[in-house]
Amino acid sequence: MNRQIRTFLLCVIGLSLLSACSPSQQVEHKELSQEELNKLDPETRNILETDISELEVSVPETDQSEAEYQDSLNEEIAENRPVQEEFDIRVYRAESQGTMTGYIDKIDIISLNDLPTTITGIQVNRGHCAVTRMYDYHNMHYGSVALAYPRCKAENIREVSVRTADGSYAYRIQ
């Protein structure tokens, strides 16, 4: 049974390959007779009788060079990039069945930036609380959430500093 299915599939694949290689059926272009050409207006007749290789195509010149165009694009990107990036920080304790205590402390870093940003580092309590792991911190758009696991209790966290390529931002936790 299995061999029959395999043979059938090979036949189907072979037929599809053969049909893909066959020449396509193109529409035949009918040459216009002299009478039909005479019925056309002179401009259209001239276009039909002109060899394509004789046609000249002109490309309009631009006012900017390629370098000026790239510079203007870079200026637009720089203008759209916010000087200060913004994040919303949420520190909390969540239930976890994977730990001995039944809970785990977490830090959510929510991007409030329209343009994508990547977190390059995080510091909790000015470096006095280590971060074990961090997830989803690359290419963050508005509303994206990065998750960090601190080594200290959530209730003891007073400051979270977020570092990106554009700067470092400290957030006080109340």
Side-chain angles (χ1 to χ4, degrees):
M1 179 76 174
N2 192 17
R3 188 173 181 182
Q4 290 173 341
I5 292 173
R6 193 176 313 154
T7 306
F8 174 75
L9 287 175
L10 285 173
C11 289
V12 168
I13 291 171
L15 285 174
S16 64
L17 287 174
L18 286 175
S19 65
C21 294
S22 68
S24 62
Q25 302 198 3
Q26 297 178 351
V27 177
E28 292 183 28
H29 296 286
K30 181 177 112 177
E31 291 292 322
L32 294 176
S33 68
Q34 192 62 34
E35 290 176 10
E36 292 171 328
L37 276 175
N38 290 336
K39 291 179 185 176
L40 297 173
D41 65 278
E43 200 172 313
T44 306
R45 190 174 344 138
N46 189 23
I47 291 172
L48 289 173
E49 291 173 347
T50 305
D51 187 13
I52 294 177
S53 62
E54 295 174 10
L55 294 175
E56 289 183 26
V57 178
S58 63
V59 178
E61 301 234 356
T62 61
D63 296 337
Q64 291 180 317
S65 69
E66 182 66 28
E68 289 172 344
Y69 178 71
Q70 284 297 332
D71 288 342
S72 67
L73 280 180
N74 291 337
E75 286 173 12
E76 287 179 25
I77 291 171
E79 288 172 4
N80 290 336
R81 187 70 168 174
V83 175
Q84 170 125 2
E85 294 176 314
E86 290 185 70
F87 298 94
D88 190 18
I89 308 296
R90 195 174 130 216
V91 178
Y92 60 99
R93 176 171 280 180
E95 289 184 18
S96 172
Q97 295 187 10
T99 62
M100 298 285 282
T101 58
Y103 63 87
I104 190 161
D105 297 301
K106 296 181 179 183
I107 301 172
D108 284 345
I109 305 164
I110 305 160
S111 174
L112 302 176
N113 304 301
D114 290 327
L115 296 175
T117 187
T118 297
I119 296 174
T120 57
I122 181 173
Q123 197 174 49
V124 179
N125 288 347
R126 299 181 182 173
H128 297 290
C129 175
V131 174
T132 58
R133 288 197 181 137
M134 198 161 139
Y135 297 98
D136 300 327
Y137 54 93
H138 290 289
N139 200 21
M140 294 178 66
H141 295 280
Y142 187 89
S144 297
V145 180
L147 176 63
Y149 292 99
R151 297 281 300 185
C152 57
K153 292 182 179 179
E155 60 201 35
N156 296 334
I157 296 176
R158 295 291 171 253
E159 184 180 276
V160 175
S161 294
V162 178
R163 191 171 53 251
T164 68
D166 295 327
S168 184
Y169 313 99
Y171 297 91
R172 289 193 169 253
I173 308 300
Q174 300 292 331

